[in-house]
């Protein structure tokens, strides 16, 4: 498998970056909408898509470990502080994309709701014997931890994405370097 170089990012790096980015935007949007509007019909879709994206996110983390972080393009100029900030943001993005599905799976499985991917049972729900329309938590403490983590990490992730996009725009519009072009498959000089 071809690795990243300073001039080009491999097609795997680019495909994983853009697929995970689109998935995360969609899951954040649907997640906020469904909880705000109490639209419970969207929960199974959110959970199913989140579960499937988890595998892509795991592959991305694995690829990052094998491949290392992209090095700054040769035409980019930045201070040491800016470079440290970009590393912090990249780490926050990678770790939060990992923690979101993990906390979601913990909240749903331990809350007794189970995990079903478009109807396919991954983890069974736990119906309340006295009212089969309801479920009983398997472990309220772990379910609560998952819920709090899902809530907190989603806010951290949104802030990191805003910083990330601001950083990319700074490179592209102000510095006019090839950071964004390289992520779009155009080799940098
Ligand atoms: C990268 C993946 C995911 C992202 C970005 C994401 C994002 C969100 C966001 C922004 C919310 C609304 C606010 C909040 O409670 O945090 C939410 C709610 C929720 N998510 Fe996710 N989610 C992901 C994966 C999952 C997975 C895999 C599951 C379960 C299998 C899940 C289950 C839920 C549930 C049950 C809620 C509603 C919580 C409530 O009613 O308070 N999510 N998600
Ligand atoms: C409009 C949206 C986005 C644009 C324009 C964009 C652009 C870029 C660019 C140009 C780079 C390369 C930076 C470098 O060479 O140092 C990059 C890297 C990265 N981006 Fe994004 N990005 C976007 C959304 C996202 C989202 C939503 C996430 C995560 C949730 C994300 C996570 C990352 C990570 C972790 C890296 C480090 C390299 C890697 O792991 O592939 N990006 N992005």
């Amino acid at each position: 498998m071809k690795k990243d170089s300073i001039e080009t990012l491999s097609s795997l790096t680019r495909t994983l970056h853009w697929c995970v980015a689109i998935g995360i935007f969609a899951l954040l949007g649907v997640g906020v909408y469904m909880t705000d509007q109490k639209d419970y019909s969207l929960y199974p879709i959110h959970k199913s898509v989140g579960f499937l994206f988890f595998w892509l996110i795991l592959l991305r983390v694995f690829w990052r470990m094998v491949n290392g972080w992209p090095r700054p393009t040769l035409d980019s100029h930045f201070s040491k502080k800016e470079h440290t900030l970009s590393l912090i943001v990249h780490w926050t993005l990678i770790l939060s994309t990992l923690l979101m599905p993990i906390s979601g799976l913990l909240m749903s499985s331990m809350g007794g709701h189970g995990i079903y991917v478009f109807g396919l049972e991954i983890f069974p729900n736990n119906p309340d014997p006295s009212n089969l329309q309801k479920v009983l938590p398997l472990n309220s403490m772990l379910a609560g931890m998952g819920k709090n983590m899902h809530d907190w990490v989603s806010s951290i992730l949104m802030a990191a994405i805003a910083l990330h996009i601001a950083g990319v725009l700074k490179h592209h519009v102000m510095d006019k370097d090839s950071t964004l072009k390289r992520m779009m498959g155009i080799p940098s000089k």
Side-chain angles (χ1 to χ4, degrees):
M1 182 64 71
K2 198 169 166 270
K3 285 197 181 184
D4 295 346
S5 73
I6 203 151
E7 289 88 12
T8 45
L9 297 179
S10 66
S11 50
L12 186 59
T13 290
R14 286 183 279 115
T15 309
L16 287 173
H17 174 271
W18 292 116
C19 288
V20 171
I22 292 168
I24 292 286
F25 277 131
L27 285 160
L28 284 174
V30 171
V32 170
Y33 176 84
M34 69 184 198
T35 33
D36 274 4
Q37 302 296 317
K38 300 199 173 14
D39 188 343
Y40 298 113
S41 67
L42 288 174
Y43 277 45
I45 300 171
H46 177 85
K47 288 164 67 174
S48 302
V49 175
F51 180 85
L52 294 177
F53 264 94
F54 185 34
W55 298 102
L56 213 58
I57 290 165
L58 281 178
L59 176 63
R60 177 141 185 256
V61 172
F62 173 72
W63 180 236
R64 261 300 127 255
M65 283 159 62
V66 172
N67 189 75
W69 293 99
R71 281 174 293 156
T73 58
L74 290 170
D75 62 356
S76 60
H77 304 280
F78 46 84
S79 62
K80 200 162 181 319
K81 254 194 213 153
E82 274 179 88
H83 186 54
T84 313
L85 180 65
S86 88
L87 274 182
I88 295 174
V89 172
H90 285 169
W91 269 100
T92 311
L93 288 169
I94 285 269
L95 289 179
S96 335
T97 50
L98 203 55
L99 286 177
M100 283 309 289
I102 292 175
S103 55
L105 293 169
L106 191 68
M107 144 169 65
S108 294
S109 55
M110 293 299 111
H113 297 283
I115 295 157
Y116 298 83
V117 176
F118 297 110
L120 178 75
E121 182 179 289
I122 307 290
F123 193 94
N125 65 358
N126 187 33
D128 179 350
S130 61
N131 178 357
L132 291 176
Q133 306 294 356
K134 293 199 165 169
V135 292
L136 290 175
L138 289 176
N139 185 323
S140 305
M141 195 195 72
L142 287 179
M145 260 173 61
K147 187 173 159 41
N148 284 337
M149 200 195 284
H150 211 64
D151 230 353
W152 270 96
V153 178
S154 68
S155 306
I156 294 172
L157 178 57
M158 285 184 225
I161 292 174
L163 274 175
H164 179 54
I165 295 177
V168 171
L169 284 178
K170 184 222 169 240
H171 278 288
H172 193 68
V173 178
M174 288 166 70
D175 302 347
K176 297 192 181 4
D177 66 31
S178 40
T179 306
L180 177 59
K181 286 189 194 145
R182 188 175 64 167
M183 190 47 105
M184 299 183 89
I186 304 166
S188 74
K189 286 157 232 129

